[in-house]
Amino acid sequence: MDETSEKFISGKIVRGESPLNLEMPFEKLEAFLTPTESFYVRTHFPIPAIDRDAWWLRVEGEVEKPFAINYEQLLEFESITVPVTLECAGNSRNFLEPKVKGVQWGLGAVGTAEWTGVPLSILLDRAGVEANASEVILEGTDGGMLDDPKSPPGKLRFARSVPLKKARHDVLLAYKMNGSELPPEHGFPVRAIVPGWYAMASIKWLQRIIVTDEPFTGYYQTIDYAYWNRRAEVAELTPLTEMQIKAEIAKPAEGETVPANSSVRVHGAAWTSDGEITKVELSTDGGSTWNETNLLSEPKPNAWRLWEFNWQTPRTPGTQTLIARATDSLGRTQPVLHDADRGTYMINHLLPIQVEVC
Ligand SMILES: Nc1nc2c(c(=O)[nH]1)N[C@H]1C(S)=C(S)[C@@H](COP(=O)(O)O)O[C@H]1N2
Ligand SMILES: [Mo]
C-alpha cells in the first residue's frame, strides 16, 4: 500500500474503522512504557458504553459461593501494578507472503503499559473454587453477529479461557492503564491482563468469570485465535496461548533514508513469554553477518526489552536490509520463515527492513 494513503486517528494508523482497529506506527517507539494514546487498539465489535456505577462483575460456575461485585467493591481489594507487554496474535501479518485475510497489522500491534488491578486469584479464593475445576472463562460485554458460517447463529460475545493454574498465578483484573482510568477502547471499566500470552486472552469490558471443569471451546478459542498443532502427526486446532519470542526494529523504519558513512542509531524492542531476553542481534547486510546489540535497562518478566545498536553505515549508497533476531534465557530464537501451521497468527519469523543509504 502507498504509505501516503494511510489514514490516522490520534497518531495511530487506521487498520479498520468498524470495528475499530488502530496501530501504533512502531517507529514512534521511544520508551519502555507505551503512552496510552499511542497504544494499539483491537476490537471485534462496537466499543460498549459502560456506566461504571451500573457495572457488575459476576464470578460463577464451579465455585462454592458465586457472587457479583461492583466497581467500588473491586477497588477495595488489594491491588498491584505491573508492566506487561500485549501483542496481538496477528501482529506483523502484512509481512506474510502471499497476502492473507485479516487486519493488516505492520509492526505496531504491540505495546507495553503499566497495569493496575486486582489479582484474579483473590476473587477465585473468595468464590471458593471446586476441586474439579480446570479452567476460567473470561467474558466481555461486547458482542454481535458475525457473517462467518462457522460462527454460532445469533449473538456472540468475546470470550476466552485460561487454565486455572495460570488464572491463579498472574492474571490481573486491571482498572488502570499507565496510572489512569482505562480508556473505553482499552476495556473500561475493567479488563483482564494475561501476562505472557497473546493479547486476545486479555479480555476487555469484563463482565463474567466462569470457572469450569471442561476445556472451553468457544468461537474465539477454537475457531478463531487457534492454530494447527501436530501431535503424533495429526493436526489439531489448538488455542493460541504464549507469545513467541520476537524482536522488532523501530528505527530506521522501512524505506527510510540514512546517510552513508556515518553512525546511525538502530533501535527497537524484543520480547518472549517465559524466560527473559538475553540477546538481540542485528544484521545490516540481509542476514550474512550479525552484531550483538546493547540491551537497555533490566529485564522484567512479561515485558519487552528495548535494545539499540550504533550502525556504521556503508561508504557507498544503496539499499541495505536490516534484520533483528532475539534469543531468550530458555535458548529460544526466531525462525527464519513463518510456519504455515500457524495460519495468520504467531508471526515471529525474521522481519527484514529495507533502508536506503545515500
Ligand atoms: N472483550 C474483548 N476483549 C478483547 C478483544 C475484544 O474484541 N473484545 N480483543 C482482544 C484482542 S485480539 C487484543 S489484541 C487485545 C487488544 O487490546 P487493546 O485494544 O487494549 O490494545 O484485546 C483483546 N481483548
Ligand atoms: Mo489480537
Side-chain angles (χ1 to χ4, degrees):
M1 200 201 334
D2 174 8
E3 289 291 308
T4 56
S5 71
E6 270 177 356
K7 224 180 124 176
F8 288 83
I9 292 182
S10 60
K12 287 171 290 210
I13 308 160
V14 177
R15 296 291 184 203
E17 275 173 297
S18 173
L20 187 67
N21 289 310
L22 306 174
E23 173 171 347
M24 175 179 112
F26 199 65
E27 65 214 70
K28 285 204 177 157
L29 174 79
E30 267 161 24
F32 174 69
L33 291 180
T34 309
T36 303
E37 320 77 77
S38 304
F39 209 99
Y40 81 97
V41 173
R42 171 62 169 130
T43 65
H44 293 75
F45 300 105
I47 295 170
I50 301 176
D51 173 2
R52 190 172 66 189
D53 299 324
W55 175 85
W56 287 92
L57 175 63
R58 281 181 287 151
V59 183
E60 58 186 62
E62 301 297 312
V63 294
E64 287 151 22
K65 299 162 284 180
F67 66 93
I69 53 166
N70 63 23
Y71 189 76
E72 223 173 280
Q73 292 166 328
L74 185 74
L75 265 58
E76 281 165 17
F77 288 105
E78 172 199 327
S79 75
I80 59 166
T81 299
V82 281
V84 171
T85 297
L86 294 186
E87 182 189 13
C88 179
N91 187 33
S92 311
R93 189 175 282 138
N94 75 1
F95 283 83
L96 297 182
E97 292 291 349
K99 290 292 164 216
V100 293
K101 281 195 193 154
V103 185
Q104 292 301 304
W105 302 115
L107 295 171
V110 60
T112 302
E114 223 162 40
W115 307 97
T116 300
V118 178
L120 175 54
S121 62
I122 294 183
L123 296 200
L124 293 175
D125 286 348
R126 180 170 156 183
V129 172
E130 301 278 9
N132 58 333
S134 55
E135 292 196 6
V136 177
I137 303 168
L138 307 169
E139 185 194 56
T141 310
D142 54 325
M145 307 262 277
L146 296 182
D147 68 2
D148 177 354
K150 288 186 191 147
S151 70
K155 197 180 161 185
L156 175 69
R157 280 214 169 86
F158 199 86
R160 260 271 172 172
S161 81
V162 288
L164 181 60
K165 198 172 165 211
K166 174 80 179 162
R168 284 194 193 285
H169 176 58
D170 62 359
V171 175
L172 199 64
L173 307 182
Y175 49 81
K176 278 188 178 179
M177 177 178 188
N178 292 329
S180 305
E181 197 168 76
L182 275 181
E185 64 275 24
H186 292 295
F188 179 83
V190 178
R191 77 177 300 169
I193 293 293
V194 180
W197 282 32
Y198 282 113
M200 74 276 131
S202 291
I203 301 297
K204 304 191 276 189
W205 312 292
L206 197 62
Q207 67 168 17
R208 214 149 53 110
I209 293 168
I210 311 150
V211 179
T212 84
D213 58 357
E214 274 175 40
F216 176 58
T217 56
Y219 180 80
Y220 294 103
Q221 185 92 4
T222 55
I223 293 176
D224 205 357
Y225 296 106
Y227 71 105
W228 293 108
N229 186 34
R230 287 173 200 269
R231 207 159 41 115
E233 286 162 55
V234 181
E236 296 175 84
L237 268 180
T238 307
L240 299 176
T241 56
E242 278 110 2
M243 293 192 291
Q244 303 294 302
I245 185 169
K246 185 170 179 180
E248 290 190 359
I249 300 170
K251 285 282 260 177
E254 172 71 35
E256 201 175 312
T257 299
V258 296
N261 197 24
S262 20
S263 174
V264 169
R265 178 176 181 251
V266 180
H267 76 107
W271 56 95
T272 186
S273 48
D274 294 331
E276 60 191 44
I277 293 293
T278 48
K279 187 166 71 174
V280 176
E281 295 160 290
L282 181 77
S283 174
T284 57
D285 55 12
S288 303
T289 60
W290 294 88
N291 311 283
E292 202 156 329
T293 70
N294 297 318
L295 297 179
L296 307 175
S297 68
E298 289 310 303
K300 299 234 168 92
N302 303 307
W304 64 22
R305 205 162 174 195
L306 303 185
W307 56 267
E308 66 177 11
F309 180 72
N310 277 325
W311 177 28
Q312 212 32 63
T313 59
R315 280 167 211 280
T316 44
T319 303
Q320 297 291 328
T321 301
L322 308 184
I323 313 172
R325 179 173 72 191
T327 303
D328 71 12
S329 53
L330 300 174
R332 296 176 297 193
T333 187
Q334 299 175 244
V336 176
L337 298 172
H338 181 68
D339 178 350
D341 280 352
R342 296 175 172 191
T344 67
Y345 294 121
M346 287 201 275
I347 303 149
N348 77 325
H349 64 290
L350 300 180
L351 304 173
I353 299 287
Q354 296 210 318
V355 298
E356 300 304 324
V357 176
C358 60

